[in-house]
Amino acid sequence: MRKIKFEYKLAFSYLLLGGIWIIFSDKLLSSIIYDIRVLTEIQIFKGWFYVIVTAILFFLFIKNHLTKLRDTEIELEHHKNHLEKMIQEKTNDLESKNEELFRKNEIINQKNTELKNTLVCLQDTQSHLFQAEKMASLGILTAGVAHELNNPLNYIMGAYVGLFRHYENKTFSENDEQVGILIDSLKVGVERSVSIVEGLNQFTRNSQSYHEECNLHEIINNSLNILQNQLSNNISIHKQYANSEIIIKGNVGNLHQVFVNILNNSIQAILNEGSITISTKLDDDYVHIEIKDTGEGISAENIEKVADPFFTTKEPGKGTGLGLAITYNIIKKHNGILEFQSDLGKGTMVKIKFPK
Amino acid sequence: MIRKKKILYVDDEKINVQLFQINFSNSFEVLISCSGMDGLLLLDKNLDTEVVISDMKMPEMNGLEFIGKAKGKYPNKRYYILTGFDITGEIQHALDNKLILKCLKKPFNLQEIERILNE
Ligand SMILES: Nc1ncnc2c1ncn2[C@@H]1O[C@H](COP(=O)(O)OP(=O)(O)OP(=O)(O)O)[C@@H](O)[C@H]1O
Ligand SMILES: Nc1ncnc2c1ncn2[C@@H]1O[C@H](COP(=O)(O)OP(=O)(O)OP(=O)(O)O)[C@@H](O)[C@H]1O
Ligand SMILES: [Mg+2]
Ligand SMILES: [Mg+2]
């Protein structure tokens, strides 16, 4: 139902009451009083009575209405105050949140810089580790070279001793055959020493270039020579090389490191007796190198991890776990692929593929 | 003429045994062989061999394995290793067990070996 506005209600009630009062009160009076004089007098009282009652009613009506209005106003004011307070509070809240965000942002910025520094640090460490691993393989290398060199030096020493005796005794001419052997030994000794030193130079070559001519068979043979003193006579080496030379573009020193690392792992995996088979193949686009050992093998669980930096199953001091991580990186730099297949207890096959 | 002392030198590298023979046959009777197996056969035929010198690293049977077998049969001879290696754990063990008397280094030292042979 539509609410009728107060002023209409008031005017309407007044009209209605007034009309009813005039009509009925006159009728009532004229029906009980017949004296005109008394009637007139009473009419005056009636008028007064009417005015007073309506005034009182008006007063009560308006008062009631105004009170309501005032209450509403007060309530409104109340609400307004409350709202203001709430807004103030929310604003304060927002400001503090904002401040907090700002602080957090600052912290994030700080962490970001720290992270950047750490990254630089890590890169630094990585290059150090690369160097360390190179030094570690150098350790293998020097031990290997010392042993390798001692053999040709033995020839040279033997030849010298023999030749010197003949020289002292002036017995060269009567010992043709022997002197021939001695001179040959001298020659072989020097040639082998030279080839060992050449191999050493190749390995330690500190070139950054990836455009050197790399003769893979030569590099593999060199790496085997370097590892000679790690090889006990219980390990046989089988070479199944492609008929032609294989030359790829790359870094000679780094490729030596690749084969020393892989072959050394194979040697270390052969606990008692076994063999290492190295095969090379060429197809239209790729060079394939497979190094297969009959060592202890790698578990399925570990095979995914072998190239992870620091992953090692060797005793502390025996392996850094960096060998294959570095090998992997070097092969990647040559756009090559490194893969492992292994049967636990039976052996491991390392496959390398280089683009031709 | 007094009889020369009989010695055996074993090395898988031909040049090494040839040189050894050339350099020591003036003062000694030098038997040579290129493997431990042949070395053992030579010892069986030459019971009067006094000193045995062997290379360490040889295919099939290494120097210590050969000396181990030889000493099992002929404990009264003197045995030495001549190697390009540093002393390894295996060699140290043999020294401790008195399997060999000394580990000689390549390149060989003529005086040292002559002195040892003459002991
Ligand atoms: N041919 C293999 N046969 C068996 N296990 C292997 C072979 N190659 C690698 N592995 C396993 O992979 C692990 C990681 O090899 P990686 O060369 O990276 O480190 P490492 O050999 O332990 O130590 P380092 O090479 O630094 O001396 C090895 O510890 C070994 O468990
Ligand atoms: N003519 C040659 N040219 C190049 N390398 C050779 C030649 N002959 C032998 N070698 C290499 O030299 C290595 C050393 O020889 P070997 O295996 O007999 O050990 P060794 O040095 O004689 O052992 P030890 O130090 O105990 O005497 C051989 O394994 C072989 O790889
Ligand atoms: Mg390794
Ligand atoms: Mg040898």
Side-chain angles (χ1 to χ4, degrees):
Chain A
M1 200 179 83
R2 245 185 80 212
K3 208 173 169 195
I4 300 158
K5 283 197 182 139
F6 171 70
E7 58 267 36
Y8 292 98
K9 244 197 292 185
L10 195 65
F12 182 73
S13 327
Y14 180 67
L15 243 166
L16 194 69
L17 275 177
I20 290 170
W21 175 258
I22 287 169
I23 294 165
F24 287 95
S25 65
D26 277 357
K27 271 213 174 126
L28 185 76
L29 279 179
S30 55
S31 67
I32 51 172
I33 300 166
Y34 303 99
D35 188 343
I36 294 291
R37 231 172 23 101
V38 178
L39 198 68
T40 318
E41 225 156 87
I42 288 181
Q43 285 282 21
I44 293 164
F45 282 116
K46 192 176 67 109
W48 274 109
F49 173 75
Y50 179 77
V51 169
I52 289 165
V53 167
T54 45
I56 289 169
L57 281 176
F58 267 129
F59 173 76
L60 286 178
F61 255 122
I62 290 172
K63 181 173 181 271
N64 185 25
H65 183 71
L66 283 181
T67 319
K68 266 194 203 157
L69 255 176
R70 284 200 197 102
D71 279 356
T72 320
E73 217 168 288
I74 288 170
E75 214 172 303
L76 254 174
E77 184 71 16
H78 240 76
H79 273 298
K80 203 177 119 204
N81 284 347
H82 186 64
L83 249 175
E84 269 174 13
K85 229 170 82 189
M86 253 168 56
I87 289 175
Q88 189 60 42
E89 265 172 26
K90 289 277 171 216
T91 315
N92 285 350
D93 234 30
L94 263 175
E95 266 170 18
S96 72
K97 284 255 160 68
N98 207 10
E99 245 168 66
E100 207 176 312
L101 257 177
F102 188 76
R103 261 205 320 273
K104 286 214 171 123
N105 207 12
E106 208 139 272
I107 293 176
I108 287 174
N109 273 339
Q110 205 180 319
K111 289 266 176 243
N112 213 0
T113 336
E114 270 173 39
L115 263 176
K116 273 188 197 150
N117 287 342
T118 316
L119 191 69
V120 171
C121 227
L122 266 174
Q123 280 166 348
D124 231 49
T125 317
Q126 196 192 25
S127 72
H128 269 119
L129 281 174
F130 260 67
Q131 203 52 37
E133 172 71 16
K134 191 153 188 187
M135 294 314 252
S137 351
L138 261 179
I140 298 176
L141 181 85
T142 41
V145 164
H147 171 247
E148 280 296 289
L149 264 179
N150 281 338
N151 259 307
L153 286 179
N154 200 52
Y155 301 170
I156 297 171
M157 177 59 102
Y160 158 76
V161 168
L163 288 171
F164 185 75
R165 183 171 298 142
H166 287 307
Y167 167 73
E168 263 191 337
N169 304 339
K170 305 197 181 348
T171 48
F172 276 127
S173 41
E174 307 109 77
N175 292 284
D176 250 10
E177 198 193 348
Q178 221 182 64
V179 171
I181 293 174
L182 291 173
I183 287 174
D184 275 351
S185 308
L186 201 58
K187 180 152 172 280
V188 173
V190 171
E191 278 170 0
R192 264 178 73 181
S193 307
V194 167
S195 86
I196 289 162
V197 171
E198 261 171 12
L200 182 71
N201 280 341
Q202 295 223 314
F203 188 83
T204 53
R205 201 140 92 172
N206 217 348
S207 138
Q208 300 295 317
S209 161
Y210 279 83
H211 300 285
E212 299 168 347
E213 300 237 308
C214 304
N215 183 328
L216 287 181
H217 293 163
E218 225 174 81
I219 290 174
I220 296 172
N221 289 342
N222 235 328
S223 305
L224 279 170
N225 272 339
I226 283 161
L227 290 167
Q228 198 59 54
N229 75 325
Q230 317 277 101
L231 275 171
S232 70
N233 49 5
N234 305 323
I235 300 177
S236 54
I237 304 276
H238 306 285
K239 296 178 189 172
Q240 297 170 355
Y241 287 170
N243 288 327
S244 58
E245 276 193 335
I246 300 180
I247 304 211
I248 63 166
K249 287 264 179 287
N251 183 287
V252 173
N254 286 354
L255 285 182
H256 273 84
Q257 221 175 330
V258 163
F259 292 107
V260 168
N261 278 332
I262 292 174
L263 290 167
N264 196 34
N265 282 342
S266 288
I267 293 170
Q268 288 175 340
I270 296 175
L271 304 177
N272 296 311
E273 246 178 300
S275 67
I276 300 174
T277 309
I278 306 161
S279 70
T280 63
K281 263 194 308 241
L282 271 169
D283 64 22
D284 291 343
D285 304 309
Y286 293 100
V287 175
H288 302 266
I289 302 148
E290 294 178 356
I291 296 169
K292 194 172 144 225
D293 65 60
T294 59
E296 56 182 345
I298 308 167
S299 69
E301 178 196 346
N302 285 347
I303 202 154
E304 302 295 326
K305 298 185 254 171
V306 289
D308 291 353
F310 303 112
F311 176 78
T312 180
T313 56
K314 291 165 193 170
E315 296 162 35
K318 280 239 169 131
T320 63
L322 281 173
L324 289 178
I326 284 165
T327 298
Y328 175 81
N329 274 322
I330 294 174
I331 291 177
K332 216 169 67 181
K333 274 204 174 160
H334 286 81
N335 301 316
I337 293 172
L338 174 67
E339 270 177 17
F340 298 88
Q341 286 172 6
S342 190
D343 250 346
L344 199 57
K346 290 203 177 137
T348 304
M349 159 107 88
V350 183
K351 288 182 167 182
I352 306 170
K353 199 163 100 173
F354 288 121
K356 243 164 76 175
Chain B
M1 201 178 99
I2 42 162
R3 233 174 54 80
K4 287 183 193 167
K5 230 183 218 177
K6 213 180 241 184
I7 63 173
L8 169 65
Y9 178 63
V10 183
D11 193 318
D12 61 320
E13 278 179 72
K14 193 165 166 250
I15 295 182
N16 275 336
V17 290
Q18 281 181 329
L19 287 170
F20 196 95
Q21 193 168 41
I22 292 173
N23 286 322
F24 292 96
S25 17
N26 277 350
S27 339
F28 306 95
E29 185 177 343
V30 181
L31 306 173
I32 54 173
S33 92
C34 282
S35 74
M37 275 300 171
D38 290 346
L40 286 173
L41 293 179
L42 274 176
L43 282 181
D44 289 338
K45 280 186 239 149
N46 298 277
L47 296 171
D48 52 344
T49 308
E50 287 178 48
V51 183
V52 176
I53 298 179
S54 172
D55 179 27
M56 179 63 201
K57 193 168 160 177
M58 297 181 292
E60 269 132 56
M61 197 191 282
N62 77 25
L64 284 178
E65 288 164 351
F66 157 66
I67 290 176
K69 287 202 174 122
K71 190 152 184 166
K73 264 179 154 175
Y74 308 108
N76 295 324
K77 303 186 195 307
R78 289 183 286 139
Y79 295 90
Y80 298 90
I81 283 281
L82 175 62
T83 180
F85 284 111
D86 247 352
I87 294 185
T88 61
E90 204 183 0
I91 294 175
Q92 188 56 53
H93 192 69
L95 283 167
D96 293 344
N97 289 342
K98 303 265 177 328
L99 181 61
I100 56 172
L101 295 174
K102 203 163 176 190
C103 174
L104 306 166
K105 297 276 171 63
K106 283 180 186 174
F108 76 94
N109 177 329
L110 185 83
Q111 281 82 33
E112 188 187 16
I113 293 182
E114 278 190 333
R115 200 182 59 241
I116 281 170
L117 292 177
N118 284 321
E119 262 167 19

